[in-house]
Amino acid sequence: MADDTAGHVRSSIDLKSAQLPVVAVVLKSTDTQVLAAELAARLQDEPGFFDNDPVLIDLGAVQDDPSPIDFPALVTELRRYHARPVAVRGGSSEQMQAAHDQGLIAAPEAARPVATPAPAPQEPAPAVVPEAAAPPPGPGAVVVDKPLRSGQQVYARGADLVVLAMVSFGAEVIADGNVHVYAPLRGRAIAGARGDTSARIFSTCLEPQLVSVAGIYRTTETELPDSVRGKPAQVRLEGEKLLIEPL
């Protein structure tokens, strides 16, 4: 602690919440040797895939497997590829305890914001809050200046999301407010995640897997017209119709 010239106590540290992109590694086997072999095969051509990214280990698919998971070996194997395992979720109590003993924290299920698409294109999702009750986006925006690779997700809670690099196929960007991507948008973009029907999606190169505003979505199964595909464009709602327009 130190005193400023006005005699007030000045803190040397601030504690704030933060949004951090995390790569989820979903285990489908508890056999560490099998996992190591598959990691080697998948990353043979992309040895820098993780690029020191924080990693969350998802155990949902193996939580009923009675075989123990060798977490020290798994963590060591991931670190070989410059991944940084920090958390685990979805496992049985025994699996979660073993992960905790290895220094991994438990990621609560509530920390996994997921925007569920509507049952059919051009239909609002049942869980979407009506516009009048939707909380407005908070001040400021979450800014991401690093490319997002397949499997990565960023969620701007109560704010806009601004991405200054490419959103790759398989990546997901979500915001309670607007989504701005000043680069190719090839993954999934979800604006108005809590029901804000005035939210929009902007991109300088629109090539998405999926775009969604307040639960109304469109996938690449419906091909984009030439006027917007791969070009600067915006996505917005007009009533319950999703409009994709050139900028």
Side-chain angles (χ1 to χ4, degrees):
M1 294 288 196
D3 291 339
D4 60 20
T5 55
H8 296 106
V9 175
R10 185 175 60 204
S11 174
S12 61
I13 188 171
D14 284 331
L15 301 177
K16 298 181 179 180
S17 62
Q19 297 287 342
L20 182 67
V22 176
V23 177
V25 174
V26 182
L27 299 194
K28 297 182 180 179
S29 170
T30 57
D31 188 326
T32 308
Q33 291 184 344
V34 171
L35 297 172
E38 183 153 350
L39 275 172
R42 289 204 176 194
L43 301 178
Q44 181 177 5
D45 297 327
E46 288 188 272
F49 174 84
F50 285 107
D51 192 23
N52 291 308
D53 292 318
V55 164
L56 183 152
I57 301 172
D58 192 321
L59 304 174
V62 297
Q63 62 179 330
D64 296 324
D65 193 322
S67 303
I69 299 172
D70 187 346
F71 280 102
L74 176 59
V75 168
T76 298
E77 196 64 30
L78 286 169
R79 286 176 175 166
R80 282 187 57 210
Y81 297 99
H82 307 290
R84 296 292 177 261
V86 295
V88 66
R89 73 180 176 205
S92 65
S93 58
E94 292 81 6
Q95 291 169 340
M96 297 298 283
Q97 182 60 52
H100 178 74
D101 292 342
Q102 183 58 27
L104 301 173
I105 64 171
E109 295 299 317
R112 299 170 61 190
V114 177
T116 305
Q122 307 305 325
E123 294 182 9
V128 170
V129 180
E131 181 180 3
V142 175
V143 178
V144 177
D145 58 7
K146 184 177 180 181
L148 298 177
R149 295 186 293 274
S150 179
Q152 292 184 301
Q153 180 193 82
V154 178
Y155 176 36
R157 183 185 298 275
D160 288 354
L161 175 61
V162 178
V163 184
L164 304 177
M166 183 173 67
V167 179
S168 299
F169 187 91
E172 190 170 59
V173 287
I174 305 172
D176 289 345
N178 303 305
V179 172
H180 303 257
V181 181
Y182 297 109
L185 169 57
R186 295 171 180 162
R188 296 179 292 274
I190 298 165
R194 293 191 177 185
D196 182 2
T197 56
S198 67
R200 301 189 181 196
I201 298 168
F202 304 91
S203 176
T204 55
C205 181
L206 192 68
E207 303 173 314
Q209 285 176 272
L210 176 147
V211 287
S212 172
V213 176
I216 298 180
Y217 76 103
R218 175 171 176 162
T219 69
T220 50
E221 292 178 1
T222 305
E223 189 173 354
L224 294 177
D226 293 338
S227 61
V228 295
R229 186 174 64 251
K231 300 176 181 178
Q234 68 167 331
V235 182
R236 64 181 181 90
L237 280 181
E238 187 173 272
E240 293 186 356
K241 183 179 181 181
L242 199 66
L243 300 181
I244 303 177
E245 304 168 324
L247 287 174

